[in-house]
Amino acid sequence: MRKTNDLILQTVTKIVSFMIFMFALHIFFAGHNNPGGGFVGGLLTSGAIVLLLLAYDLKTVAGSLPIDYKILIAVGLLFAVGTGLGSLVFDVPFLTHAHDIFTLPILGETHLHTAVLFDIGVYLVVVGTTMTIIQTIGENE
Amino acid sequence: MIKIMLTAALVLFSVAIAIALYRIISGPSLPDRVVAMDMIVVNLISAVAIISILLETKAFLEVILILGILAFISTIALSKYVERGVIIERKRNR
């Protein structure tokens, strides 16, 4: 087999994957007032990991990102259910969300909403499911 | 006036997409089709930008970035398939 060299692809990946991570984070937090949210953010994050998988191989990425994606799905579902159960503590129906304006030290007046916790659950489940599918297919010889 | 110019640009972009579509259908080899798909996505990005000007909204600006990212990843995946025959390797022998 011909000797191949992926220097350009790996150098570009080192920069571009971080850009995709940052964009996914932006689109996740902008989801309340702009287009975006947990689903697209999770898909973009898994897109960045897929780019790492394309430039390197499965073992290298598993060494630098030691995450079991099946556990990530469970943690995401736990977040979503925990947000719903947390409303029962305050004697309101299941999945009732609360929001208020807080004054934080650096950020100033911030509108915090418990729907973000639910969205974190969606994000983790989407990343876990996509990466489980891709890794399971990629490991198959 | 600006609306006529933007519509003319959209028509020209659709002509470019049609030409790339011809290359996808009748391209003799797989790399021809990969490059034609990349060209279609680039033209689609420009078309989305013009449509968002025509509709006077900022809601489609994320679509442009996401299309660029998806085109980059999919072109790399397809070209790796053409080069190596496998898209995701288990362990690189180097």
Side-chain angles (χ1 to χ4, degrees):
Chain A
M1 185 179 160
R2 204 151 35 98
K3 188 100 172 163
T4 51
N5 190 357
D6 288 349
L7 181 65
I8 296 176
L9 174 60
Q10 290 180 352
T11 311
V12 168
T13 299
K14 276 173 198 160
I15 304 167
V16 170
S17 63
F18 277 104
M19 284 161 61
I20 302 176
F21 269 128
M22 288 300 114
F23 182 54
L25 220 63
H26 160 75
I27 224 167
F28 171 74
F29 282 113
H32 194 66
N33 297 321
N34 291 52
F39 188 75
V40 188
L43 281 181
L44 270 176
T45 307
S46 48
I49 303 174
V50 166
L51 184 60
L52 287 175
L53 282 176
L54 288 174
Y56 299 93
D57 51 327
L58 272 171
K59 285 233 172 83
T60 314
V61 177
S64 59
L65 280 174
I67 304 167
D68 189 355
Y69 294 104
K70 293 186 275 305
I71 293 176
L72 214 62
I73 301 175
V75 171
L77 287 175
L78 214 67
F79 258 101
V81 174
T83 317
L85 289 179
S87 63
L88 292 181
V89 176
F90 300 101
D91 208 17
V92 283
F94 186 65
L95 276 176
T96 305
H97 289 291
H99 60 95
D100 204 358
I101 295 175
F102 296 95
T103 308
L104 296 180
I106 301 169
L107 297 171
E109 281 202 354
T110 316
H111 188 196
L112 296 181
H113 204 297
T114 52
V116 178
L117 295 175
F118 190 83
D119 225 19
I120 286 175
V122 175
Y123 177 87
L124 292 178
V125 169
V126 168
V127 172
T129 311
T130 318
M131 292 317 295
T132 306
I133 291 171
I134 289 171
Q135 278 197 342
T136 315
I137 295 173
E139 277 171 357
N140 201 357
E141 290 276 306
Chain B
M1 188 62 203
I2 190 87
K3 223 156 207 176
I4 298 169
M5 286 163 69
L6 290 174
T7 317
L10 265 184
V11 170
L12 288 178
F13 277 127
S14 53
V15 168
I17 288 177
I19 292 171
L21 209 61
Y22 168 73
R23 180 49 62 198
I24 283 185
I25 292 168
S26 77
S29 63
L30 185 57
D32 287 331
R33 298 191 167 99
V34 173
V35 173
M37 288 238 285
D38 202 36
M39 179 186 159
I40 280 183
V41 177
V42 169
N43 284 316
L44 213 58
I45 287 171
S46 317
V48 169
I50 290 175
I51 286 172
S52 73
I53 295 173
L54 275 175
L55 295 180
E56 293 178 2
T57 174
K58 281 192 285 188
F60 297 146
L61 297 187
E62 277 92 353
V63 175
I64 295 172
L65 266 170
I66 291 175
L67 269 181
I69 290 167
L70 285 184
F72 181 63
I73 293 175
S74 57
T75 307
I76 285 177
L78 276 169
S79 51
K80 197 166 174 187
Y81 174 71
V82 170
E83 177 85 10
R84 301 262 174 90
V86 60
I87 294 178
I88 296 175
E89 290 153 302
R90 304 186 79 177
K91 182 78 188 125
R92 188 155 293 182
N93 46 359
R94 266 194 293 121

